Structures are given as structure tokens and as C-alpha cells.
């Protein structure tokens, strides 16, 4: 059984809003009868109870959105199942990890992205979607951070990578190397980690990225329990034909499949 949670939040997106509409777009593809629900690894997500949808977090003016997200993730995890969160922009990963860490004293983050998202502050906003992994590492919310597909590193990022001991596989160096994972894994997928040829509907498309196949291969190669995941930065306003939503839903299915041991082999 896998939990789903929508996080329709894009207030801290620096350049372009719109990713708050992503959870609905991804669910529409997931449940469309145009696509099957059996993963490549033969897990049937259409089986009764396979996916439990906790709906979307509701934001209000009188509750800090980070508190709202942390509370909702904490509640979803208390059900005892791995959780896939649907962003929203990448800023949401910080409050998600505040909740995940309470449940997992050992935790490695595998982070797929064009960007390291390690800015100390961006546009005067420490909660910017350019900053979540700086906040996560400062607060000790993971033991290891492994980034794959990165291709926008400036000297400030290099300093932050060294400061936090981040393990980086830049896109130019990624050859499917073993990650040597030990213990629970949290997987954070920024869709701009994929090349814009595969996932164009993102606020910051960056050429030279991973293929959909390479990202699925990374997911399927994770040989430790995946206790949580997020898929972020889909911007439906840039996705008139829904092509990127289809990619997001495909990754959701394969992540869920990697969370559940195969049953149909
Ligand atoms: Mn990101
Ligand atoms: Mn990014």
C-alpha cells in the first residue's frame, strides 16, 4: 500500500508560478483509462487499496504553509505506508523532510534535478525553491544527500556542496554509477532533472539532462527501502498537450512499484 498526497504550493517559486496545479494534472493522467496501472516491475497499482490518496493539503492565511505541509505529511506517514508527495515547486521538500525525518532516524536522500537547490538565500527568500536542500542539510534532516543530473553549478553552489558534504553526480558525469545505498531512502524528483526534450513543462528547462529511461533506471536500481518520494516542478500552464504530466505519472508509477515488492513475477 502506498500513500499519495498533493501539495499545491508554488508561492516560493522564483521565476514562474503554476506548479500548484500539478497534483490534479498528475492524478488525471494516473487514473486515465488511456494508461495501465501495472508497473514495469509487475506491481498492479490498480489493485484495491494499492494506492491511498490523502488528497491535497489545504492552505489558509492563518497557518504557516510549512506547518501545514509538515503536519499533513506526518499524518500520512503515521498510516505506516511509504508516501509519494506531488508538488508544487521544489520548496515543499523542506517541510516534507521535517516530517519524514521524525519517522526515519537513518535517511539518505536521492535527489534528481538540473539544479542543486543549495542556495543559502535566493531573492532574499530562504524558502525559495532554489534553497530547500540547504535548509534540509542545516537542520540535519538527512544523513546523506546524493544529487544526480545537476548541470547549473556556480561557485556558491560548489561551496555549499563542500560545506554539507553533498555527493554530486553532475549530468556530464552520470553513467549509472552504483550509489552504494544503505538504509531508508527518500527520493526527490525535480522534473527539470530530465532533459526538456522529455519534460518541457517546467519553470527552468535546462538542456543536457537525463532521459525518462535514465530516471526510471535510477528508481529501479534503488535496492533499499524507499520510504518517501516527491515529484515536483510540473507546471501545467506550460503543458498544453499534457506530455510532461504523462512523464510525471509514469515516474509516480515506477516509484510506487519500487516501493512495493513485485508480486506478479
Ligand atoms: Mn529543484
Ligand atoms: Mn530544478
Amino acid at each position: 500500500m502506498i500513500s499519495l498526497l498533493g501539495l499545491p504550493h508554488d508561492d516560493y517559486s522564483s521565476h514562474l508560478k503554476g506548479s500548484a496545479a500539478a497534483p490534479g494534472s498528475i492524478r488525471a493522467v494516473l487514473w486515465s483509462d488511456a494508461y495501465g496501472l501495472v508497473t514495469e516491475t509487475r506491481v498492479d497499482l490498480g489493485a484495491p487499496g494499492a494506492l491511498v490518496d490523502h488528497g491535497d493539503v489545504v492552505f489558509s492565511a492563518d497557518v504557516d504553509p510549512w506547518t501545514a505541509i509538515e503536519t499533513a505529511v506526518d499524518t500520512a506517514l503515521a498510516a505506516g505506508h511509504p508516501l509519494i508527495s506531488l508538488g508544487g515547486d521544489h520548496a515543499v521538500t523542506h517541510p516534507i523532510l521535517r516530517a519524514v525525518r521524525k519517522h526515519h532516524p537513518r535517511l539518505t536522500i536521492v535527489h534528481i534535478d538540473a539544479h542543486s537547490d543549495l542556495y543559502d538565500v535566493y531573492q532574499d527568500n530562504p524558502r525559495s525553491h532554489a534553497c530547500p536542500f540547504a535548509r534540509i542539510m542545516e537542520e540535519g534532516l538527512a544523513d546523506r544527500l546524493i544529487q544526480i543530473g545537476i548541470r547549473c553549478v556556480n561557485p556558491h553552489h560548489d561551496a555549499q556542496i563542500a560545506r554539507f558534504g553533498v555527493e554530486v553526480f553532475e549530468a556530464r558525469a552520470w553513467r549509472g554509477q552504483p550509489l552504494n545505498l544503505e538504509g531508508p531512502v527518500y527520493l526527490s524528483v525535480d522534473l527539470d532533472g530530465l532533459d526538456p526534450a522529455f519534460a518541457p513543462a517546467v519553470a527552468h528547462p535546462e538542456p543536457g539532462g537525463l532521459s525518462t529511461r535514465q530516471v526510471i533506471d535510477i528508481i529501479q536500481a534503488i535496492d533499499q527501502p524507499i520510504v518517501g518520494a516527491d515529484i515536483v516542478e510540473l507546471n501545467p500552464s506550460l503543458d498544453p498537450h499534457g506530455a510532461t504530466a504523462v512523464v510525471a505519472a509514469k515516474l509516480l508509477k515506477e516509484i510506487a512499484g519500487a516501493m512495493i515488492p513485485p508480486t506478479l513475477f
Side-chain angles (χ1 to χ4, degrees):
M1 195 172 276
I2 304 294
S3 296
L4 295 182
L5 179 66
L7 303 176
H9 194 277
D10 60 10
D11 286 4
Y12 305 141
S13 190
S14 59
H15 167 65
L16 192 66
K17 312 294 184 199
S19 60
S25 290
I26 298 171
R27 285 195 189 91
V29 173
L30 181 66
W31 301 118
S32 164
D33 57 13
Y35 309 99
L37 284 163
V38 178
T39 71
E40 293 184 2
T41 52
R42 310 297 198 276
V43 172
D44 184 2
L45 300 175
L51 293 175
V52 178
D53 197 333
H54 294 255
D56 285 353
V57 173
V58 177
F59 297 102
S60 65
D62 47 343
V63 178
D64 183 330
W66 267 206
T67 302
I69 292 172
E70 182 180 345
T71 303
V73 171
D74 198 22
T75 301
L77 288 172
H81 314 301
L83 172 68
I84 303 176
S85 301
L86 307 176
D89 69 47
H90 216 159
V92 302
T93 302
H94 174 216
I96 291 171
L97 262 295
R98 281 181 172 170
V100 171
R101 185 57 152 172
K102 284 187 267 183
H103 296 259
H104 296 287
R106 291 179 70 202
L107 194 65
T108 296
I109 299 175
V110 176
H111 167 205
I112 296 168
D113 205 322
H115 315 92
S116 64
D117 293 351
L118 284 166
Y119 272 101
D120 184 44
V121 179
Y122 193 72
Q123 295 176 344
D124 297 324
N125 181 10
R127 286 188 178 183
S128 166
H129 71 159
C131 305
F133 291 91
R135 301 290 85 77
I136 286 164
M137 298 310 279
E138 282 169 356
E139 294 180 19
L141 302 181
D143 303 303
R144 288 176 72 191
L145 173 59
I146 303 169
Q147 301 186 322
I148 305 171
I150 311 299
R151 53 195 185 275
C152 301
V153 180
N154 67 25
H156 171 65
H157 298 134
D158 272 325
Q160 293 284 76
I161 287 164
R163 173 185 170 201
F164 296 123
V166 184
E167 299 164 61
V168 180
F169 293 95
E170 293 187 34
R172 60 183 178 155
W174 179 244
R175 302 289 183 271
Q177 293 91 326
L179 301 180
N180 301 317
L181 300 168
E182 290 179 28
V185 171
Y186 184 89
L187 176 63
S188 185
V189 181
D190 182 331
L191 289 166
D192 71 31
L194 282 74
D195 192 273
F198 299 93
V202 295
H204 306 273
E206 183 68 30
L210 305 173
S211 68
T212 306
R213 186 72 252 162
Q214 283 179 295
V215 173
I216 294 169
D217 289 348
I218 292 167
I219 293 166
Q220 293 175 348
I222 294 174
D223 57 358
Q224 298 290 310
I226 305 175
V227 297
D230 60 59
I231 300 169
V232 297
E233 296 286 348
L234 168 65
N235 190 319
S237 72
L238 304 173
D239 200 25
H241 307 293
T244 305
V246 173
V247 172
K250 171 78 174 180
L251 297 180
L252 188 168
K253 286 185 276 191
E254 295 308 319
I255 292 167
M259 288 170 159
I260 302 177
T263 52
L264 300 182
F265 279 123

